[in-house]
Amino acid sequence: MTGEVKKKIKPGSIELHPEELAIVVNYEVQEVSVETQQVLSREQAVKKISVKTLTDKTNVPLLAGEIVEKCKLIHPSKTGHVEELLYQLQQRQAQSQSPTKSAAPQPAQQVGNGRAAPAPTSPQGGSQQRRMNRVEADAQEAAELRARQQMQASQIFKAQQKQYEQAYLEHLDEYMEDLYEEDMSKKVRATGMISQLFRKTENFETLLSHETLLQTLSRLMREEMKRSIDLCINIVSVYFSISNFSQFHPVIMDNQIGALTMDLIDLEIKRTEHRAAEEGISPAMVAQKALDASTGQVQLQEREKKLLALIQKQDRLLYLCFYLLLNLAEDVGVEKKMKKKNIVVYLVKMLDRSNVELLILGTTFLKKLSIYKENKEKMAECRIVDKLAKFVPVRNDVLLMSVLRLLHNLSFDVQLRDDMVKNGLIPKCVDLMSQPRFQPVVLGLLYHVSMEDKYKGMFTYTDCIPRIYEMLTRVQELRNTPELIALAVNLTQNPRNAEVMCEGDRFDKLIRRAFQTCDELAFKVLRNLSQQENFGVKRRFGPYIEQMVMLLKAPDITAELFVEVLGSLANLYIPEFDFLGLVRKHDLLQFLATYSQPGAVDDDILLEVVMFVGVLCNEGTAPLLVQSGLVNTLFVLMGEKKEDDEFVLQIAFSFNKFLMYDDTRLALLNYTQVVFYLIDLLQDKNKEVQKVADQCLDIIMDTDEEWAVRIRNLKFEAFNQEWLEVVQAPPDQVMAGRHPGGGNYGMDSGEVDYNDVGDYTIGGQRVMADFDDFAGGGQQWSPGQDNYGYEQDAGQYDEEELRRGYQM
């Protein structure tokens, strides 16, 4: 072998190691002749990257970034694929380990015969599998979209290159010479031939190493962009080909192509707006008329044909420009520069055009930008929701999905959610719930809208509730559909929606399904239904209360399910239900007493226990409540949780129930200081707490004359405490305006103190003496062409491209 030889490394596929916790990178080592650039030999090689520190708590995106940064064989564009492989390794590792259950805290105290109630346990894992499914689906969708966009770019190149012959690398110098010609047609041809050369990656090394090629193209674009749209398409396509490789982005930025591309977009948008203002016709209107003409409905005039040809070329140019910028936006710093040059405004204006692929690219780019607050606010200013609403629904599934994902991102904003509702997106999105492909993003979008109480009732008049019911009873694992359960929980907070959910035999099927699966998320929906004030809904639970209690006491119940079942029972005050029989049959009070001790369980469980005790209290169960010690326990708990308004309110409500029956009332009045606690609660900042405390005291006053007199005195003292302190204070302190509490009852707080500048203070408050002083410094306020700009003719429009690219 003669001549100089150099080695090249060509990266290959990235995959999982079949056995070890590692990622395998395949690559090829080539020996290439420097003179002829011919590959002399190839050798396959493998690099193994071990990730022994990978656990279920590892930050996978961060680890993937570190691997890509350290391994030169992996291109940064493959970061998403590496992240997906790491998630698969996590799943494989989790499956290799035996699953265990972690128990919730055991109640600290035992009651009755010394038996402690079984503690709820945590649910088994499975989040890794769910996350993997979602990651794989998103990665596949992103890959399909990327492939579609690349295909569209290829179609643009083919359409543009029809007018040119085959280009050869050996003729590069000839093409370069034509760039300096005065004849515009020669410049256009030269740029078209160079664009052909850049479509082949094997030419990159020669082309990018040329001393003046890229600089000449950027200069030509800067100077001639207003004269020829074909010239602009050819030059932008060159830099677009380069932008597909992240390592060449600095080359593009060095030639200021990003700024030039933004200027070119601005120029084409202004031309479109000027043409629309002069002729009263938009690109969408022309495209629609052309589609009608293709079916024989109308006849296009020559001027309209010429305009359509121009619009098609303009759409090709805008597509390449925005795709180029999207590639460059991988760098957040570059993206910020684009934002300063109004990239958001330009993209929103693309929504008025009718080229499907341009719309898909525009919405994809907007979705990427919408994660930043400043961009989202600019989109709101441009009334983006009004423009997007017309695409829901649309026959092109890819465009519809891109629009829905953008709307989902925007729906985090309250103002934009209002705009979505005004544009009628609720019924439109409900109709899309039946299509599996759109379900996750549509459910997420509707969930965000349903967070507003004022919009929950609007779902009643759609098919949303029946469809949610069908999905709840059909889905095997609700944890795999977090958007569905979140939407169901939100909507069932509305009384009318709850009634619709319970219509016919829906409620019975739903609760039977919940018992069958023991899914805490299903019981979360049932818990919302149980909170409704409508006794018709509450009574639907009656036949299932005993079964719920049995589930509550099951030894293998999970902590999450325990909370939901107990919370549902705590809402079910049904006057005619036989709670006494339930308590006796299942020894329920002793069971609850175990969990009611302060510090025995988490506060969320303890709060539900307090509420359930209040529900159970009636004339028959009152003696048993006293025997169980729950009356005294709740009083002690009141002191422990005095800073927690929710606990205080629920305990006060339970006291309200206790005071209605003789046994529990006597236990409270004789063995606790409950009256004094209730008097203190009359001064609580929470109005609901005050209200319940006042009701409790009224019951005591109505049932016990002796306590009635004492409560009146205590109330008087509580409401007139400051006056009583003044009355009881010595005379010399009263005259001095002081009392033992330290307050001022003299005239000190109202003294008027004038200062040198004409202002004065009353009780420490500064007041202007002369308002005319403000007048001097203020200000008076009062209310306040045939070639379409190109030298070259656009030519004839493409009938095939019209049908392929503008039919939605």
Side-chain angles (χ1 to χ4, degrees):
M1 184 172 61
T2 60
E4 186 179 352
V5 176
K6 65 177 180 180
K7 287 189 176 182
K8 284 187 176 181
I9 295 178
K10 183 179 179 181
S13 61
I14 309 172
E15 54 193 9
L16 293 179
H17 193 284
E19 298 177 355
E20 300 180 18
L21 204 63
I23 292 176
V24 176
V25 182
N26 298 288
Y27 63 97
E28 184 180 80
V29 181
Q30 301 177 348
E31 289 188 350
V32 182
S33 171
V34 176
E35 295 179 358
T36 63
Q37 294 297 312
Q38 182 180 359
V39 179
L40 303 176
S41 67
R42 289 184 172 88
E43 181 182 353
Q44 300 297 326
V46 173
K47 178 176 179 62
K48 184 175 72 173
I49 304 174
S50 298
V51 283
K52 296 180 180 179
T53 59
L54 184 68
T55 66
D56 59 343
K57 297 181 179 179
T58 300
N59 187 331
V60 172
L62 181 62
L63 179 59
E66 292 179 358
I67 291 175
V68 172
E69 183 180 355
K70 293 179 180 178
C71 182
K72 302 303 180 184
L73 296 172
I74 304 177
H75 190 269
S77 63
K78 300 291 184 182
T79 305
H81 181 56
V82 174
E83 187 176 329
E84 181 181 347
L85 293 176
L86 291 175
Y87 279 128
Q88 293 180 20
L89 282 177
Q90 271 188 335
Q91 180 187 4
R92 191 168 74 184
Q93 186 183 31
Q95 291 175 349
S96 65
Q97 300 173 353
S98 57
T100 58
K101 288 188 177 182
S102 58
Q106 184 75 17
Q109 299 185 16
Q110 296 181 339
V111 296
N113 57 8
R115 293 184 295 106
T121 57
S122 298
Q124 290 188 0
S127 59
Q128 296 293 335
Q129 179 65 41
R130 290 190 297 276
R131 182 169 55 183
M132 274 305 306
N133 293 339
R134 182 62 58 85
V135 169
E136 289 174 359
D138 290 346
Q140 181 179 356
E141 182 182 329
E144 291 174 356
L145 183 59
R146 178 79 174 178
R148 182 188 180 99
Q149 292 168 343
Q150 288 287 349
M151 184 179 297
Q152 173 63 14
S154 299
Q155 294 287 348
I156 292 175
F157 287 127
K158 289 178 182 178
Q160 197 66 19
Q161 297 299 327
K162 286 180 181 178
Q163 52 190 315
Y164 309 123
E165 68 274 17
Q166 179 67 35
Y168 297 96
L169 191 60
E170 294 79 8
H171 299 163
L172 179 60
D173 291 338
E174 176 187 333
Y175 305 148
M176 286 289 296
E177 291 177 4
D178 288 343
L179 294 178
Y180 295 94
E181 295 288 339
E182 290 296 327
D183 188 355
M184 178 57 69
S185 61
K186 290 185 177 181
K187 293 181 180 179
V188 172
R189 177 186 174 277
T191 54
M193 305 303 277
I194 294 172
S195 174
Q196 276 192 49
L197 297 178
F198 270 95
R199 291 295 293 162
K200 298 179 180 179
T201 53
E202 56 266 27
N203 296 333
F204 269 33
E205 184 173 0
T206 302
L207 294 171
L208 293 176
S209 60
H210 195 282
E211 294 181 357
T212 61
L213 175 58
L214 295 180
Q215 293 88 335
T216 303
L217 289 174
S218 63
R219 176 191 58 78
L220 190 62
M221 180 175 172
R222 183 181 298 105
E223 295 175 355
E224 307 288 355
M225 70 167 62
K226 296 181 180 180
R227 298 181 60 192
S228 172
I229 192 169
D230 288 313
L231 180 75
C232 293
I233 292 175
N234 292 338
I235 296 177
V236 172
S237 65
V238 168
Y239 286 101
F240 168 74
S241 298
I242 300 174
S243 72
N244 287 316
F245 302 91
S246 300
Q247 61 265 42
F248 298 137
H249 285 184
V251 176
I252 299 175
M253 301 307 296
D254 289 344
N255 288 278
Q256 299 181 340
I257 294 302
L260 282 175
T261 303
M262 294 290 292
D263 293 340
L264 181 56
I265 291 172
D266 182 68
L267 174 64
E268 294 302 325
I269 289 177
K270 286 179 178 177
R271 278 178 169 157
T272 301
E273 292 174 347
H274 176 74
R275 186 167 59 244
E278 291 291 323
E279 303 182 11
I281 187 168
S282 67
M285 294 169 61
V286 175
Q288 184 58 48
K289 188 170 182 179
L291 288 171
D292 294 339
S294 66
T295 60
Q297 299 179 22
V298 296
Q299 189 72 26
L300 285 180
Q301 300 176 3
E302 286 302 318
R303 184 174 180 80
E304 291 173 331
K305 291 179 181 179
K306 184 178 179 181
L307 181 57
L308 179 59
L310 174 63
I311 289 173
Q312 286 182 338
K313 286 192 175 183
Q314 197 176 50
D315 285 342
R316 295 173 198 165
L317 175 59
L318 290 171
Y319 188 92
L320 292 175
C321 287
F322 282 117
Y323 204 163
L324 167 62
L325 294 176
L326 179 61
N327 288 340
L328 294 179
E330 292 177 0
D331 186 334
V332 178
V334 175
E335 185 178 303
K336 289 180 179 178
K337 293 180 181 178
M338 295 179 190
K339 180 251 178 187
K340 292 180 180 179
K341 292 182 73 69
N342 276 340
I343 182 70
V344 174
V345 176
Y346 297 150
L347 283 167
V348 173
K349 288 184 177 181
M350 292 302 102
L351 300 177
D352 293 326
R353 306 184 76 90
S354 44
N355 184 283
V356 176
E357 300 301 330
L358 181 57
L359 289 169
I360 293 172
L361 179 64
T363 51
T364 302
F365 204 162
L366 284 167
K367 180 174 75 71
K368 181 180 187 300
L369 296 172
S370 64
I371 62 176
Y372 295 102
K373 181 180 178 181
E374 300 85 350
N375 295 334
K376 179 202 64 179
E377 291 174 349
K378 179 60 71 174
M379 293 178 197
E381 291 177 13
C382 297
R383 304 200 63 80
I384 187 174
V385 174
D386 297 347
K387 297 178 182 290
L388 292 173
K390 63 185 177 184
F391 300 115
V392 183
V394 69
R395 281 181 291 178
N396 189 295
D397 286 354
V398 179
L399 174 58
L400 179 55
M401 177 61 83
S402 185
V403 170
L404 288 173
R405 289 197 177 280
L406 173 55
L407 286 170
H408 181 271
N409 275 17
L410 298 176
S411 65
F412 285 89
D413 183 86
V414 176
Q415 176 192 340
L416 292 171
R417 285 203 296 266
D418 292 342
D419 292 341
M420 292 175 195
V421 175
K422 291 175 183 176
N423 280 277
L425 283 179
I426 290 180
K428 290 181 179 180
C429 290
V430 168
D431 291 340
L432 293 172
M433 287 173 59
S434 58
Q435 302 184 36
R437 177 176 183 178
F438 303 118
Q439 271 181 6
V441 63
V442 167
L443 290 172
L445 174 57
L446 291 175
Y447 162 68
H448 290 160
V449 175
S450 70
M451 291 192 295
E452 303 287 338
D453 289 337
K454 58 184 176 182
Y455 297 138
K456 287 187 174 79
M458 299 181 67
F459 288 84
T460 307
Y461 306 101
T462 68
D463 291 333
C464 187
I465 304 299
R467 290 185 179 183
I468 287 177
Y469 161 77
E470 292 175 4
M471 296 169 72
L472 287 173
T473 55
R474 188 176 67 249
V475 174
Q476 294 296 326
E477 178 57 63
L478 290 176
R479 286 184 175 273
N480 291 340
T481 55
E483 299 90 356
L484 169 63
I485 200 66
L487 178 59
V489 169
N490 270 6
L491 293 184
T492 49
Q493 292 175 0
N494 178 271
R496 181 61 188 135
N497 290 338
E499 292 175 11
V500 175
M501 183 69 80
C502 296
E503 284 179 354
D505 60 350
R506 287 177 187 164
F507 176 83
D508 297 305
K509 290 183 178 179
L510 185 61
I511 195 169
R512 288 170 189 165
R513 171 80 173 175
F515 281 125
Q516 178 185 356
T517 60
C518 290
D519 194 320
E520 67 273 9
L521 297 178
F523 273 100
K524 188 179 289 290
V525 176
L526 291 169
R527 181 178 178 180
N528 268 16
L529 296 176
S530 70
Q531 289 176 345
Q532 301 303 318
E533 296 180 359
N534 186 338
F535 274 98
V537 175
K538 289 183 182 293
R539 288 188 174 94
R540 300 295 295 269
F541 284 88
Y544 304 98
I545 289 180
E546 184 171 355
Q547 192 173 350
M548 292 171 71
V549 171
M550 294 171 63
L551 179 61
L552 190 69
K553 299 183 69 176
D556 57 345
I557 188 172
T558 64
E560 290 81 1
L561 181 57
F562 185 90
V563 172
E564 301 303 333
V565 175
L566 182 59
S568 300
L569 289 169
N571 295 324
L572 296 176
Y573 174 65
I574 306 174
E576 65 272 16
F577 187 80
D578 182 17
F579 285 111
L580 177 60
L582 184 73
V583 167
R584 286 176 172 172
K585 183 175 181 179
H586 296 281
D587 196 18
L588 196 52
L589 296 181
Q590 292 297 331
F591 176 80
L592 294 176
T594 306
Y595 288 96
S596 63
Q597 307 298 326
V601 290
D602 291 338
D603 281 356
D604 54 347
I605 295 178
L606 186 58
L607 182 62
E608 302 303 334
V609 169
V610 171
M611 296 171 64
F612 191 27
V613 169
V615 169
L616 292 176
C617 182
N618 59 32
E619 188 173 0
T621 60
L624 299 179
L625 281 167
V626 176
Q627 295 175 16
S628 68
L630 281 168
V631 175
N632 188 66
T633 299
L634 261 61
F635 176 77
V636 174
L637 189 61
M638 173 77 88
E640 295 279 342
K641 302 293 183 181
K642 60 185 178 182
E643 301 300 328
D644 190 321
D645 280 359
E646 187 62 29
F647 264 102
V648 172
L649 179 62
Q650 297 302 335
I651 295 173
F653 178 78
S654 295
F655 286 169
N656 186 292
K657 294 290 295 292
F658 291 168
L659 292 169
M660 292 181 180
Y661 307 104
D662 294 340
D663 294 271
T664 46
R665 181 174 63 253
L666 292 174
L668 273 177
L669 297 179
N670 295 337
Y671 301 106
T672 70
Q673 301 293 318
V674 68
V675 173
F676 301 100
Y677 264 100
L678 294 172
I679 293 293
D680 287 341
L681 292 181
L682 293 177
Q683 309 297 324
D684 196 276
K685 295 179 181 179
N686 191 308
K687 298 298 182 183
E688 288 298 320
V689 171
Q690 292 181 20
K691 181 179 177 181
V692 176
D694 195 40
Q695 291 174 353
C696 291
L697 291 172
D698 288 344
I699 295 174
I700 298 173
M701 294 171 68
D702 290 341
T703 55
D704 192 313
E705 283 297 329
E706 182 179 348
W707 270 111
V709 175
R710 297 179 63 184
I711 289 173
R712 290 190 192 98
N713 291 335
L714 290 171
K715 280 187 174 183
F716 179 84
E717 293 176 2
F719 285 110
N720 299 279
Q721 183 177 2
E722 292 185 358
W723 179 80
L724 289 173
E725 290 177 353
V726 174
V727 171
Q728 296 171 2
D732 55 339
Q733 291 186 6
V734 175
M735 293 301 296
R738 304 290 179 185
H739 66 93
N744 295 335
Y745 289 97
M747 297 300 294
D748 296 345
S749 62
E751 285 187 7
V752 180
D753 178 22
Y754 289 91
N755 55 35
D756 327 3
V757 295
D759 302 339
Y760 60 92
T761 60
I762 300 179
Q765 178 66 41
R766 181 174 178 270
V767 182
M768 296 298 299
D770 188 356
F771 289 96
D772 291 337
D773 291 343
F774 285 105
Q779 294 182 352
Q780 185 77 17
W781 177 85
S782 60
Q785 53 192 275
D786 287 342
N787 59 2
Y788 300 103
Y790 301 105
E791 291 185 4
Q792 286 189 316
D793 188 273
Q796 298 297 318
Y797 71 89
D798 191 326
E799 180 78 23
E800 180 184 350
E801 182 181 358
L802 172 68
R803 296 182 180 181
R804 183 185 67 249
Y806 295 83
Q807 185 74 46
M808 293 191 196

